[in-house]
Amino acid sequence: MPVTADNAMTAAADARPEAIRVEGLRKSFGTLEVLKGVSLTAREGDVVAIIGGSGSGKSTMLRCINFLETPSAGRIVIGGEAVAMRPDGSPADRRQIERLRQSLGMVFQQFNLWSHRTILENLIEVPVHVLGVPKAEAVARAQTLLDRVGLAAKADAWPAFLSGGQQQRAAIARALCMQPRAMLFDEPTSALDPELVGEVLAVIRDLAAEGRTMILVTHEMKFAREVADHVIYLHNGVIEEEGPPEALFGAPRSDRLKQFLRSVG
Amino acid sequence: MSGLVAATATLELLQLEPPGWGAPLLRGLASSMMIAFGAYGLGLLLGLCGAFGKLYGGPVLRDLMAVYTTVVRAVPELVLILILFYAGTDAVNQILLGLGYDRIQISGVAAGIGVLGVVQGAYATEVLRGAIQAVPAGQIEAARAMGMAPAMIARRVTLPLMLPNALPGLGNLWLNATKDTALLAVVGFAELTQTTRQAAGATKAYFTFFMAAGVLYLTISLISGWIFARMERRARRGMPEMRA
């Protein structure tokens, strides 16, 4: 384990249960190895930001956590439960993967709301049809969440008629409606017009403030610095540097990170 | 005056009670529709299996599906019908006799639904495959990411999302199904075209009966078109209109 400023956290903080642990994760696409053994730990309430240049493997790392990408090697533990993997990294138990995915709320760059369902239907789809929540309860929960992300008036609208920022806020509400253990954000503002970024970041900031466990892949450095407890800088599939945001952004040690921070400036 | 006589004679020929041929024609139409429905249903089932097989199946299944769609779409339907009706019945009976069973008679309806269904299935496979491929991958990925099982994703996400893409092609297939039933006339099955030929031959009123049959086919087609348009509108709910 590299010595990082993170290890200096108080004993009380370390006692929090682990929500997500990734160990020695590798991932190859054909002969191209995009992740060369990366690890991270997110305890309950942690906000972990993953930053890095294009092609650094940061999205792949996030997508391996819920097996949208099949790892080539490594270990993934969600809420203390290790994912059963075959020697080649593929999941050994489809139902376990499905169950664990239900505990991880994923938010995509392209929102990916279901276009044939209204916003409210998008929110209650998985709670009602997968998790078995009674419909009335799911609807009530969905309305509360829509209210919280400022979309109470759009419950019956179709996704295609919402702005990008509204769609992303609805997608965040959809993920929250499953009452997940942790949230995974895959560049949630990268597909948005600049003037719509703020409204989405405000929602994510709000979630961080209430102590939600989140792993956030982002290009928004100022935002990462503001909300993250721990920042991971990924370069060419390895963790080049990691630590608390003040250290990483305030006093970067590696030349690559210094150069990266200058370039995104 | 003579015009009025001709019109009255025509109406008499089309009356429901004998000597009018109205009732046999409508029975022929009913047979045609029964076969069209059966063949279309079978075709959709085969098409769904074929499309999912081609898209998500292993190499062997994909090859089998490719052979199916290629061969069936290459051979004229008339030839396929003759093959199944004569060669097929013969082969089945040879096998049955070899096993010590009695000969069986394959019913015209069953054979018609079987042949046309297999043909429909080959075309439906391609229509549905294209429609499924046009579904935005991210929406399927979102369903996977939230822990939906594959069968539920197919039923609640993939199928409803591909429907607007598939319906124009499926509407065409349905019209083909209704008209292809006429091919069964060559094996003497009493569907609408065969009945029309009998009526026309018996009365020598060729024009009257073939016009009547044409009107019946057209009516089916118009009603179908209206129903498919409604279904497409419903399937497109929530999707903004796109015009080139």
Side-chain angles (χ1 to χ4, degrees):
Chain A
M1 267 306 254
V3 178
T4 63
D6 216 27
N7 294 11
M9 274 215 263
T10 62
D14 281 347
R16 286 173 302 152
E18 283 178 4
I20 295 170
R21 169 187 279 277
V22 176
E23 287 171 12
L25 180 69
R26 292 176 174 274
K27 169 67 181 172
S28 301
F29 292 105
T31 56
L32 179 71
E33 191 172 38
V34 291
L35 291 176
K36 300 164 186 166
V38 293
S39 305
L40 75 76
T41 303
R43 293 181 180 276
E44 303 273 346
D46 275 353
V47 177
V48 177
I50 305 176
I51 61 171
S54 147
S56 60
K58 55 191 190 304
S59 276
T60 307
M61 184 174 177
L62 187 78
R63 290 162 56 83
C64 279
I65 292 174
N66 63 359
F67 279 73
L68 285 183
E69 302 288 357
T70 307
S72 308
R75 211 168 100 89
I76 291 168
V77 186
I78 312 285
E81 181 180 348
V83 178
M85 285 159 70
R86 296 206 182 90
D88 67 348
S90 62
D93 178 0
R94 200 197 77 205
R95 288 183 193 284
Q96 185 198 25
I97 297 291
E98 284 165 7
R99 187 164 42 75
L100 291 176
R101 280 173 175 167
Q102 288 156 22
S103 70
L104 298 171
M106 178 99 175
V107 175
F108 298 88
Q109 186 176 343
Q110 299 293 342
F111 333 131
N112 295 344
L113 292 170
W114 296 303
S115 55
H116 62 302
R117 303 202 188 281
T118 64
I119 297 301
L120 184 73
E121 287 168 350
N122 263 278
L123 263 69
I124 65 170
E125 173 72 15
V126 169
V128 170
H129 294 278
V130 179
L131 305 175
V133 177
K135 190 169 176 193
E137 191 186 324
V139 168
R141 194 194 290 172
Q143 276 161 344
T144 309
L145 286 167
L146 284 177
D147 195 35
R148 179 168 173 191
V149 300
L151 290 174
K154 298 290 185 185
D156 296 320
W158 300 96
F161 297 94
L162 265 54
S163 73
Q166 290 173 326
Q167 287 190 52
Q168 192 61 299
R169 284 185 280 145
I172 294 171
R174 175 174 70 171
L176 289 171
C177 207
M178 301 194 300
Q179 301 189 318
R181 166 191 299 276
M183 294 284 284
L184 308 176
F185 290 91
D186 187 5
E187 302 193 28
T189 57
S190 297
L192 295 174
D193 289 336
E195 76 270 22
L196 303 177
V197 169
E199 64 190 63
V200 171
L201 292 185
V203 169
I204 302 174
R205 186 180 293 120
D206 187 36
L207 294 176
E210 70 170 19
R212 249 174 214 283
T213 314
M214 311 200 289
I215 298 183
L216 171 72
V217 170
T218 186
H219 286 297
E220 300 283 336
M221 295 305 145
K222 272 205 306 231
F223 185 67
R225 183 172 191 164
E226 175 194 338
V227 300
D229 304 302
H230 187 79
V231 180
I232 292 175
Y233 170 61
L234 217 55
H235 179 79
N236 277 344
V238 293
I239 295 179
E240 186 79 20
E241 195 167 334
E242 65 179 311
E246 313 80 61
L248 229 81
F249 292 110
R253 285 164 295 162
S254 74
D255 291 337
R256 285 211 180 96
L257 177 55
K258 286 177 191 162
Q259 197 184 351
F260 174 70
L261 291 176
R262 269 200 306 275
S263 70
V264 298
Chain B
M1 199 59 199
S2 68
L4 189 64
V5 171
T8 318
T10 300
L11 284 179
E12 269 169 15
L13 283 174
L14 293 173
Q15 266 174 0
L16 288 179
E17 297 84 26
W21 281 79
L25 282 186
L26 289 181
R27 272 200 301 277
L29 178 68
S31 298
S32 288
M33 284 304 105
M34 189 165 64
I35 288 176
F37 269 117
Y40 193 63
L42 179 62
L44 283 182
L45 205 68
L46 290 174
L48 270 181
C49 297
F52 276 99
K54 269 195 168 183
L55 289 172
Y56 305 110
V60 178
L61 187 61
R62 281 209 300 268
D63 285 350
L64 277 175
M65 291 303 143
V67 170
Y68 166 53
T69 52
T70 308
V71 170
V72 169
R73 291 189 302 161
V75 179
E77 282 143 52
L78 189 54
V79 175
L80 282 174
I81 286 170
L82 293 172
I83 288 175
L84 192 103
F85 235 89
Y86 297 116
T89 314
D90 221 35
V92 168
N93 279 321
Q94 289 296 333
I95 293 167
L96 286 176
L97 286 175
L99 293 172
Y101 294 99
D102 282 340
R103 302 181 73 86
I104 56 156
Q105 186 71 41
I106 295 178
S107 85
V109 175
I113 288 175
V115 181
L116 294 183
V118 167
V119 174
Q120 288 268 314
Y123 288 95
T125 295
E126 293 305 313
V127 169
L128 295 173
R129 184 180 61 88
I132 290 170
Q133 277 182 314
V135 171
Q139 296 191 35
I140 294 172
E141 188 162 74
R144 287 175 61 217
M146 296 175 86
M148 278 200 202
M152 185 181 271
I153 295 176
R155 191 162 48 83
R156 296 197 56 87
V157 181
T158 313
L159 289 181
L161 278 172
M162 67 97 191
L163 209 54
N165 309 324
L167 274 174
L170 292 181
N172 275 339
L173 273 185
W174 163 248
L175 289 185
N176 279 347
T178 62
K179 291 180 296 182
D180 284 356
T181 56
L183 293 171
L184 294 174
V186 296
V187 291
F189 180 69
E191 45 65 63
L192 180 55
T193 298
Q194 171 69 5
T195 314
T196 305
R197 263 165 57 178
Q198 283 175 353
T203 58
K204 304 297 174 210
Y206 291 97
F207 183 77
T208 305
F209 282 110
F210 282 106
M211 279 302 284
V215 167
L216 287 177
Y217 281 119
L218 180 64
T219 309
I220 295 299
S221 164
L222 289 175
I223 294 171
S224 309
W226 180 76
I227 291 172
F228 269 95
R230 277 184 66 98
M231 286 200 291
E232 207 181 320
R233 247 201 327 277
R234 190 180 156 78
R236 278 199 192 284
R237 273 184 327 164
M239 307 190 188
E241 247 178 83
M242 267 193 271
R243 286 180 198 279

